[in-house]
Amino acid sequence: MQKRYVIITGANSGIGRAAALKFATKGYNIVMACRDMEFSKTVQKEIVELSKNKNVDLMQVDMSSFNSILTFCSEYKIKYEKVDILIHNAAYFNHGEKYQLSPDLIELTFATNVFGPYLMTTLLKDHLKKSDDPRILHAGSNIIKHFFDLKTKIIFDNLQGEFKDSRPHRVYKMYCQSKMALLMLTFRMAEIFKDDGIKVNAIQINGAKMSKRTIKKVKPWWRPIAWMQNLFIPPTSYMANNYYDICTSDTFQHVTGKLFNDKLEVMQVTPNEYPGFFKQVKRVLGSSVYPTYANNKDAMDQLWELSAELTKHYSVHSTYNI
Ligand SMILES: NC(=O)c1ccc[n+]([C@@H]2O[C@H](COP(=O)([O-])OP(=O)(O)OC[C@H]3O[C@@H](n4cnc5c(N)ncnc54)[C@H](OP(=O)(O)O)[C@@H]3O)[C@@H](O)[C@H]2O)c1
């Protein structure tokens, strides 16, 4: 079999770890793109042992830092000839009111979950083009259901700390908005990358069991809720199998610009109006439709321009301009 290369960000825990194991078991060459090298080395060793696949590499990246992403991509390109699959799985999630800035002075949630993935894809685009079947997958969340309320929008004017000391801030809200932004990037990138044959899709994750380590990272008052949720939600391997299918199955070889639900059905956009109470409940509880806001052209344009603007000093290192 021809060598196939998979990059998975945040592959040291949760769904990312399970996905790395799945791909490794199936004989792929894995690059675990992780921040914490000491902890990740142990996970890398486990994956090699369990999968009996030695081609599991570990490379350092902090997805909230443009410089770190540039270093990662440059080193990756020296080591490897192409990228077949790029999975943007890493994400920053928490609660609380503290506004945090990334090393590039961007709100931390957006830096990690939106602009970091944008830059990494931009820098790797030429390498993705070298694959005969390049696929990108974005890890989405059912948290975007908040956008079924038509008043909910991405707030663009405070992403660089403009009102960090004067406006109330909720990390949970930023996470929600960042996942909507990532979905918008999915749609826009899919359109732009079509001629190059690069497929870009997203998966809406409703829940996957959280590890002890992940639960420790969130605010103490939220931990009991996370433990409770863990009793009812599927194991990480379930979502990892979905990642695998979307990125490898012939069924999805030509599918791009779609949002999948956890049953691997393509989700549809809702009509742009307030439904009656029962329809709204059905939308919120179900996984067949996503909010109209995801197709909002003005917001998408604004997001696209901002992503390009914020990353421009780094994306010049790409041999391919998007
Ligand atoms: N689990 C769920 O119920 C659920 C629900 C909806 C959506 N999702 C989405 O599914 C994906 C995986 O979630 P999960 O629950 O498996 O998460 P997880 O176990 O908490 O893992 C998150 C991963 O992201 C990494 N990460 C965070 N910030 C990073 C940064 N700046 N640079 C590099 N890596 C960074 C973490 O690395 P460190 O070890 O260095 O922190 C960790 O490896 C995420 O995109 C999440 O938003 C999950």
Side-chain angles (χ1 to χ4, degrees):
M1 173 176 134
Q2 192 201 9
K3 279 190 176 173
R4 298 196 74 76
Y5 297 90
V6 188
I7 299 174
I8 306 172
T9 64
N12 65 11
S13 83
I15 306 168
R17 179 195 177 281
L21 178 59
K22 174 80 186 187
F23 279 95
T25 307
K26 295 286 182 181
Y28 284 75
N29 282 55
I30 318 295
V31 173
M32 299 170 59
C34 299
R35 176 171 54 176
D36 176 343
M37 291 301 269
E38 202 186 320
F39 173 73
S40 305
K41 266 184 197 149
T42 324
V43 179
Q44 177 196 24
K45 202 165 159 260
E46 267 168 33
I47 293 176
V48 169
E49 278 166 15
L50 289 169
S51 66
K52 302 187 175 41
N53 179 348
K54 286 192 184 122
N55 299 316
V56 180
D57 193 3
L58 171 65
M59 291 177 65
Q60 213 270 333
V61 71
D62 176 350
M63 288 303 290
S64 72
S65 156
F66 295 158
N67 207 25
S68 172
I69 293 169
L70 177 61
T71 305
F72 171 90
C73 294
S74 309
E75 287 173 1
Y76 180 92
K77 288 180 192 181
I78 294 168
K79 268 178 137 174
Y80 298 106
E81 75 222 40
K82 61 171 179 165
V83 183
D84 293 289
I85 296 166
L86 171 58
I87 303 181
H88 286 299
N89 165 79
Y92 172 63
F93 166 78
N94 215 324
H95 289 85
E97 272 87 50
K98 193 166 170 219
Y99 191 114
Q100 292 182 81
L101 287 166
S102 74
D104 304 284
L105 305 182
I106 297 165
E107 192 284 321
L108 186 65
T109 327
F110 262 73
T112 313
N113 303 357
V114 184
F115 302 124
Y118 171 93
L119 178 63
M120 184 180 270
T121 298
T122 307
L123 292 172
L124 291 175
K125 193 178 176 202
D126 49 356
H127 250 48
L128 280 153
K129 281 182 67 186
K130 292 178 185 163
S131 167
D132 57 2
D133 182 13
R135 305 191 199 188
I136 300 173
L137 182 64
H138 290 157
S141 168
N142 61 351
I143 201 166
I144 63 163
K145 287 180 183 200
H146 286 286
F147 285 84
F148 281 128
D149 175 353
L150 299 183
K151 294 192 289 300
T152 308
K153 293 182 176 22
I154 295 176
I155 309 297
F156 283 101
D157 69 355
N158 194 20
L159 291 178
Q160 293 171 81
E162 293 89 335
F163 301 100
K164 78 179 174 63
D165 299 319
S166 54
R167 265 195 207 159
H169 180 76
R170 278 180 57 209
V171 182
Y172 175 85
K173 264 196 178 171
M174 296 315 290
Y175 175 73
C176 170
Q177 293 181 27
S178 75
K179 288 295 179 181
M180 173 52 81
L182 187 65
L183 179 59
M184 288 180 164
L185 284 189
T186 309
F187 295 152
R188 182 56 62 91
M189 277 183 182
E191 230 173 85
I192 293 176
F193 292 2
K194 212 166 202 163
D195 292 344
D196 293 313
I198 303 174
K199 279 79 61 169
V200 191
N201 292 297
I203 179 155
Q204 178 166 298
I205 300 166
N206 296 336
K209 284 198 199 309
M210 291 185 183
S211 66
K212 275 188 202 159
R213 184 168 171 272
T214 298
I215 293 178
K216 262 195 195 154
K217 286 189 225 164
V218 298
K219 295 275 170 210
W221 59 264
W222 197 74
R223 289 176 200 160
I225 303 171
W227 286 117
M228 282 294 286
Q229 275 184 358
N230 264 359
L231 299 175
F232 303 102
I233 53 182
T236 50
S237 56
Y238 179 80
M239 208 37 79
N241 288 343
N242 282 344
Y243 280 15
Y244 182 79
D245 288 346
I246 295 170
C247 294
T248 63
S249 154
D250 288 347
T251 317
F252 304 122
Q253 190 179 358
H254 302 293
V255 176
T256 190
K258 301 293 179 200
L259 174 64
F260 290 91
N261 66 19
D262 59 349
K263 296 191 194 81
L264 294 190
E265 296 156 343
V266 171
M267 297 176 69
Q268 306 297 327
V269 68
T270 49
N272 190 12
E273 90 260 350
Y274 269 111
F277 176 74
F278 290 109
K279 263 199 185 154
Q280 185 72 318
V281 170
K282 204 172 150 198
R283 279 175 185 183
V284 172
L285 296 180
S287 286
S288 56
V289 290
Y290 62 82
T292 329
Y293 186 78
N295 288 355
N296 182 305
K297 190 177 171 309
D298 289 345
M300 217 186 262
D301 287 346
Q302 200 174 348
L303 176 69
W304 192 255
E305 278 160 29
L306 185 62
S307 306
E309 176 62 28
L310 291 174
T311 57
K312 69 181 178 201
H313 295 301
Y314 296 88
S315 54
V316 288
H317 296 274
S318 166
T319 48
Y320 197 98
N321 232 341
I322 51 174

